[in-house]
Amino acid sequence: MRGSRIQQNLLLSGNSGLCLTAGLGESEICGSNALVAQLDRAPDYGSGGWGFESSRARHPLMALLFPLRPPASPQERDQRIMELALREAQLAADRDEVPVGAVVVRGNEILARAGNRVEELKDATAHAEMLALTSAFEAAGEKRLVDAELFVTLEPCIQCAGAILHARLARVVFGATDPKFGGVVSLTQIFELDGLNHRVLHEGGLFADESASLLRDFFRAKRKASPS
């Protein structure tokens, strides 16, 4: 099953190295104003603007994370990476998928990014984190992603938290919490279980309002569209 997922992920990879860094040039404005502008431009992602070909998990041959302007602080670094995850979440919503996006980075390199594709792949496990991790393994040519970080717009579920442990990620940063399925701080705290041979640093709440807003808007539209 994992091999077929890797094949599916790579089919649409295209020229993703250029796509990944398209919005990180000198002219990019970072922070909340930039985030609002990016979400406002969401319908244009595929037709011009950012030039994204697909939000299927991609491995961009180690694309540089900040090729033109490095962040001024660790906080700005995290914000700019999470903005990429939010774009993936918006693209997922545009495909009628639950809007969750994920980005895997290591140092100054993007290993992969993805959005949910549960509906498209008819696979309940095809969460953004799982797809991004699978693609990152392929990009790095490694079975573990030591020192890598995952940025995701929604708290990883139990499944994804387990996969993160297996991948040996160093750190996870997420946006909104998930009271029903969250495996990091909400429903359970998988990273804190006794007996684990690996520890993952984790932080939540980065762009939590924006992440939650995408989810609320998506499910509100679903309820309006469903017959009463």
Side-chain angles (χ1 to χ4, degrees):
M1 182 69 180
R2 183 167 177 255
S4 63
R5 175 177 288 171
I6 291 175
Q7 277 189 322
Q8 291 168 327
N9 290 348
L10 299 184
L11 283 176
L12 297 182
S13 60
N15 191 17
S16 53
L18 292 176
C19 296
L20 287 172
T21 58
L24 294 175
E26 292 285 357
S27 61
E28 174 118 350
I29 300 173
C30 295
S32 59
N33 291 336
L35 178 62
V36 172
Q38 287 156 5
L39 295 182
D40 286 344
R41 286 198 298 269
D44 295 327
Y45 285 167
S47 60
W50 298 101
F52 294 148
E53 296 175 11
S54 167
S55 184
R56 189 186 299 273
R58 296 171 291 242
H59 70 95
L61 301 179
M62 307 301 186
L64 288 179
L65 186 54
F66 305 111
L68 299 179
R69 181 172 62 82
S73 67
Q75 293 75 21
E76 183 186 345
R77 174 186 181 271
D78 286 358
Q79 289 171 355
R80 289 170 67 179
I81 299 171
M82 186 62 85
E83 286 173 354
L84 291 176
L86 280 162
R87 297 178 201 178
E88 291 296 325
Q90 179 62 62
L91 287 168
D94 294 343
R95 296 191 309 272
D96 205 28
E97 300 274 359
V98 174
V100 178
V103 179
V104 180
V105 303
R106 183 158 58 184
N108 193 36
E109 296 174 335
I110 298 174
L111 299 183
R113 62 181 186 170
N116 272 355
R117 287 192 176 269
V118 170
E119 301 300 327
E120 176 184 338
L121 300 180
K122 302 296 187 288
D123 179 354
T125 70
H127 293 183
E129 302 98 312
M130 300 296 289
L131 295 174
L133 286 173
T134 297
S135 190
F137 289 131
E138 189 72 13
E142 304 168 12
K143 67 178 181 180
R144 302 280 189 259
L145 297 171
V146 177
D147 294 328
E149 302 166 89
L150 173 73
F151 288 73
V152 60
T153 58
L154 182 65
E155 178 186 356
C157 68
I158 295 172
Q159 167 199 243
C160 295
I164 288 164
L165 281 170
H166 282 297
R168 300 294 192 271
L169 294 184
R171 180 173 177 245
V172 172
V173 180
F174 63 88
T177 55
D178 184 355
K180 292 185 177 180
F181 291 101
V184 180
V185 298
S186 296
L187 186 63
T188 188
Q189 296 84 42
I190 286 184
F191 297 154
E192 309 304 325
L193 291 176
D194 292 335
L196 293 175
N197 63 356
H198 177 69
R199 292 294 174 183
V200 178
L201 299 176
H202 57 87
E203 301 172 31
L206 182 60
F207 289 139
D209 291 342
E210 291 82 356
S211 300
S213 179
L214 282 172
L215 291 162
R216 282 195 301 268
D217 291 347
F218 176 81
F219 287 112
R220 184 181 299 119
K222 283 289 185 185
R223 287 192 294 270
K224 287 183 178 179
S226 64
S228 54

